[in-house]
Every structure is written in C-alpha cells, then in structure tokens.
Amino acid sequence: QVHLVESGGGSVQAGASLRLSCAASGRDFSATALGWFRQAPGKEREFVGAITGSGGYTKYADDSLVGRFIISRDNAVNTGYLQMNRLKPEDTAIYYCAASSLWTVSPRGYHSWGQGTQVTVSS
C-alpha cells in the first residue's frame, strides 16, 4: 500500500489553470491505478478521472471535464498529476487522489488516499 500526499490547490478566478500533484511513497506505485475525486460541501464524493498503472489509458467522468482536465503520471518519480484548465466555479471542491490495485471508478475500490487539496474558483 502506498502513502499519497497532494499539493497544488488554491484559489483562482474562472478561466485559470491549476496543476495538482500526487506524490506517492511505498512500493508498487506503477502497478496501481490512480484515481482523482472531488467533493464539494454537502455533496457526495465524485469521480473525476483515473489512469492505469502504466499510464497508457485514462478515463474522465463526463463531457464537462473532457478537454479541460488531463490526468497523467510519472512513475519514475512516483507522482501523478491532474492538470485543470479553464476552471469554472462549479469545479470548486476538495480534490483527492487515490490508488488502487484494481481498475475502478468507485471510491470504495481505492485503498490509499491523499489528504485532499482545496480548489476554489470564483467568477
């Protein structure tokens, strides 16, 4: 099991970009799928996207994210990334990264989680 530490969140205006990082420690990081999730106050945790252990395949939650959000990873430095472009107020949430030995979009399928990082987008 890996330990994850997130960074890169902040407060920005609509249209800005942010890149979130997820630094991992522990063994077998390259063998784990890496998922990104977000949670707004009073709402359920929501799937954003995920990437396979090799980095060869990515999946995004819906059409509102495709073309704006890009998930990647660099296994040489045990780090995953979420590049967020053209941010909107509705993107405001706490963002989490998580690792799983299985390919899944369900939060329940992820066993290692970062602490979360706040992203706030104002209009």
Side-chain angles (χ1 to χ4, degrees), residues 31-106:
T32 65
L34 187 67
W36 288 91
F37 300 83
R38 64 186 182 184
Q39 187 167 18
K43 297 184 178 180
E44 294 183 353
R45 186 165 43 184
E46 175 188 16
F47 174 71
V48 175
I51 186 169
T52 57
S54 67
Y57 176 76
T58 54
K59 180 179 176 63
Y60 299 91
D62 54 56
D63 291 342
S64 69
L65 301 178
V66 175
R68 293 197 302 122
F69 286 17
I70 303 171
I71 295 172
S72 62
R73 67 192 296 163
D74 187 348
N75 289 343
V77 294
N78 283 4
T79 303
Y81 304 98
L82 175 61
Q83 177 69 45
M84 303 184 293
N85 300 315
R86 301 188 304 280
L87 284 162
K88 304 175 181 179
E90 51 262 44
D91 295 320
T92 295
I94 300 175
Y95 284 72
Y96 301 90
C97 65
S100 174
S101 60
L102 302 174
W103 178 252
T104 179
V105 302
S106 172

